[in-house]
Amino acid sequence: MTTAETTQPAAGQSFSELPLSPAMQATLQQLDYLTMTPIQAASLPLALAGHDLIAQAKTGSGKTAAFGLALLNNLNPKRFAVQALVLCPTRELADQVTQEIRRLARFEENIKVLPLCGGSALRNQATSLENGVHIVVGTPGRIMDHMERGTLKLDELNTLILDEADRMLDMGFHDDIAFVAKRCPAKRQTLLFSATYPEGIAQLAKQFLRNPQEVKLLEKHAGSKIRQRFYEVTNEDRLQAVATLLKHFRPVSTLAFCNTKQQCRDLLNILRHEGIQALTLNGDLEQRERDQVLIQFANRSISVLVATDVAARGLDIANLEAVINVDVTPDPEIHIHRVGRTGRADEDGWALSLCSHGDRRRVAAIAEAMGCQLTWSELGALDAADNSPLVPPMSTLLMLGGRKEKIRPGDVLGALTGEAGFTREQVGKITVTDQNTYIAVARDIARDAVRKLTAGKVKGKTVKVRTL
Ligand code: ADP
Ligand code: MG
């Protein structure tokens, strides 16, 4: 194996230095992708030259566009056959990847990207496949299903992507990945993307990649933009301390990491007791419930999302003002990864860690991995002088009817800013799913907005709306 780069390349290189078609370059401009992210700058020249790759970089670093451009570069839009396959650990991630590839593929009229995951009817997916698809993005189980039924044929595949490979291994997908990879044409390009680099990744690469180049961006972000603070607590006070931090720093959106599901549940109870709007993500939720949690957090109507590392990995959540390490993780790399979720895109971010005496050894390992001195602060010194409740700025309305009813965000925005008389600023993110539409509105107009939407019409029809 050759290690191409292990250091951080200069960020800010332009895409125009890459051998991409003018149409592709124009699309990138349209998307406002002006400079490459570090992982893109490190991996794209190698990927476009046809190498197999192992690429490691933290969540939110732009890995999707890195492999998206590589697979589009290998694609012949005139051939209606599956030429690229992206394996993802979960439906949410597959959906995010599908969206991003579709955006990147806009330069060509007719590139079909199909998500194939559980939770949607096999037969509908089979029909879509029959109609001709260029790129398939899906979870290993469902992809296998279609291969076994003969509805997914891979003889013309030229690019195989393993996205979030570490997480797929965590979730026990090794054998499924092997099943799929063994049935792909031997002559192909394989790119493996991962946020961390556990033992299993090297094994996987050895089995399914050919002379891979390795691109690792271990971020040492003791970061300019991320302000890290460590607080000593006793285990008894740990959960209450989270509320103290939130009331002092008053971040709009906080991701709180716990090491176990039970800890997540306990924290949720305490935060709710304190009147803080919090939800948790865990494997026990149904898919629709998970979607709802993420939508409400992303549109700023929930202050805190409580999660384990497994539940939170890979999710693209922008604008996090704070990350709280409720528990210290035994793995320094995971700590760096957690902390790296805040302070993105030139925003400041807080990374706050609660450590008991028993966590000392873990904390020392973190300090060493980050190559920096840790800043210890006193919880007692934090004032909760501002004792007003921590209230999220937005509130989410649930409207029945979504893509199936051909609802678009503009229809809802039109209804709210038209007859209902609200301003554009009072309306936040509008998310349309298959069955429902989620509308973020300024918290103080929520009631009024429900009333006016119910009394009026959206797309010429009366609608059912309630606050979530
Ligand atoms: P990762 O897979 O590494 O977690 P994503 O691919 O989800 O990260 O990218 C995170 C966000 O950054 C996405 O919203 C994406 O649209 C955006 N992004 C990716 N590349 C660029 C770029 N070169 N310039 C600006 N934004 C980008
Ligand atoms: Mg990703």
Side-chain angles (χ1 to χ4, degrees):
M1 197 179 301
T2 7
T3 299
E5 312 207 22
T6 47
T7 49
Q8 175 120 9
Q13 292 172 42
S14 155
F15 283 100
S16 61
E17 290 151 34
L18 296 174
L20 294 169
S21 69
M24 186 76 242
Q25 298 280 8
T27 303
L28 289 167
Q29 293 247 321
Q30 270 181 24
L31 292 176
D32 232 9
Y33 286 14
L34 303 178
T35 56
M36 291 189 269
T37 66
I39 189 66
Q40 291 164 355
S43 62
L44 273 167
L46 294 165
L48 295 176
H51 290 286
D52 280 8
L53 271 193
I54 303 172
Q56 183 197 352
K58 65 169 180 152
T59 298
S61 54
K63 294 192 287 294
T64 318
F67 64 71
L69 290 172
L71 70 84
L72 287 169
N73 190 54
N74 289 345
L75 197 84
N76 175 0
K78 298 202 183 69
R79 289 265 343 127
F80 273 87
V82 175
Q83 297 166 56
L85 173 61
V86 184
L87 292 181
C88 297
T90 65
R91 200 194 82 179
E92 279 143 24
L93 292 168
D95 284 343
Q96 284 182 11
V97 168
T98 303
Q99 299 302 330
E100 178 82 351
I101 296 180
R102 283 189 180 143
R103 283 168 2 117
L104 293 168
R106 265 191 276 181
F107 68 99
E108 269 283 348
E109 219 17 43
N110 223 347
I111 297 182
K112 293 271 187 269
V113 191
L114 181 69
L116 287 184
C117 302
S120 301
L122 271 163
R123 190 169 319 148
N124 294 348
Q125 294 175 341
T127 309
S128 302
L129 283 166
E130 236 167 73
N131 291 338
V133 168
H134 296 99
I135 302 162
V136 165
V137 182
T139 45
R142 185 51 67 99
I143 300 277
M144 274 171 61
D145 269 359
H146 279 289
M147 289 168 69
E148 283 175 326
R149 281 160 200 260
T151 40
L152 173 61
K153 300 196 182 61
L154 299 177
D155 0 299
E156 299 202 33
L157 184 111
N158 56 34
T159 317
L160 173 65
I161 313 283
L162 308 178
D163 188 24
E164 303 273 346
D166 51 353
R167 179 144 184 231
M168 287 202 283
L169 292 180
D170 283 349
M171 292 172 73
F173 283 143
H174 177 274
D175 293 352
D176 295 2
I177 297 171
F179 178 96
V180 175
K182 280 184 190 145
R183 285 161 183 79
C184 291
K187 189 171 172 311
R188 62 160 198 264
Q189 186 178 17
T190 309
L191 308 178
L192 182 160
F193 283 76
S194 189
T196 61
Y197 198 93
E199 178 58 27
I201 295 289
Q203 295 290 340
L204 200 65
K206 213 178 285 169
Q207 281 176 281
F208 303 113
L209 274 64
R210 264 192 206 185
N211 300 326
Q213 304 271 314
E214 210 178 316
V215 181
K216 267 190 179 190
L217 292 184
L218 273 183
E219 309 259 335
K220 281 217 175 158
H221 44 84
S224 42
K225 285 173 278 160
I226 302 166
R227 288 169 288 182
Q228 279 215 78
R229 296 282 182 277
F230 289 78
Y231 298 89
E232 180 147 355
V233 291
T234 60
N235 283 329
E236 297 76 69
D237 295 339
R238 195 184 285 274
L239 298 182
Q240 198 60 46
V242 178
T244 307
L245 291 174
L246 289 167
K247 285 184 179 168
H248 174 79
F249 289 97
R250 311 189 72 77
V252 174
S253 302
T254 301
L255 189 52
F257 285 103
C258 299
N259 287 355
T260 64
K261 280 200 239 176
Q262 184 58 47
Q263 184 84 318
C264 289
R265 282 191 284 267
D266 293 346
L267 177 59
L268 207 62
N269 285 333
I270 292 215
L271 294 181
R272 287 187 174 161
H273 188 77
E274 293 283 333
I276 294 171
Q277 306 270 339
L279 288 174
T280 184
L281 266 189
N282 67 50
D284 305 338
L285 296 181
E286 280 176 41
Q287 189 64 48
R288 199 176 50 86
E289 298 171 309
R290 282 178 70 85
D291 289 347
Q292 278 197 7
V293 170
L294 285 171
I295 288 168
Q296 292 178 83
F297 186 59
N299 74 17
R300 296 147 66 89
S301 45
I302 289 296
S303 302
V304 187
L305 182 63
V306 179
T308 58
D309 296 288
V310 171
R313 191 138 0 126
L315 299 172
D316 177 22
I317 309 169
N319 288 328
L320 278 179
E321 270 96 352
V323 165
I324 298 182
N325 293 304
V326 180
D327 299 310
V328 181
T329 158
D331 182 343
E333 218 176 286
I334 289 182
H335 177 88
I336 293 173
H337 195 65
R338 285 177 174 184
V339 164
R341 288 169 165 279
T342 186
R344 278 198 219 160
D346 299 320
E347 307 266 340
D348 286 340
W350 287 105
L352 311 168
S353 303
L354 296 169
C355 318
S356 68
H357 194 71
D359 293 328
R360 282 281 168 161
R361 196 184 296 228
R362 293 180 179 181
V363 173
I366 288 169
E368 188 180 319
M370 304 209 334
C372 69
Q373 288 266 310
L374 305 185
T375 313
W376 286 91
S377 308
E378 287 291 324
L379 263 183
L382 298 181
D383 59 275
D386 184 359
N387 232 338
S388 58
L390 180 65
V391 183
M394 309 303 278
S395 180
T396 301
L397 314 184
L398 169 61
M399 181 178 98
L400 298 187
R403 265 195 293 271
K404 292 240 163 74
E405 286 72 28
K406 305 233 174 345
I407 300 282
R408 280 192 259 131
D411 303 326
V412 179
L413 185 63
L416 283 167
T417 56
E419 205 153 315
F422 297 110
T423 66
R424 178 70 191 85
E425 289 67 40
Q426 290 171 310
V427 185
K429 228 181 193 175
I430 298 172
T431 314
V432 182
T433 66
D434 280 348
Q435 319 270 359
N436 297 314
T437 301
Y438 298 87
I439 310 157
V441 296
R443 190 155 279 261
D444 56 339
I445 66 155
R447 233 171 238 258
D448 210 20
V450 168
R451 202 171 48 76
K452 288 188 172 150
L453 280 175
T454 309
K457 288 188 168 160
V458 176
K459 268 198 122 177
K461 293 207 175 115
T462 52
V463 288
K464 287 212 166 87
V465 189
R466 64 177 172 89
T467 44
L468 260 190

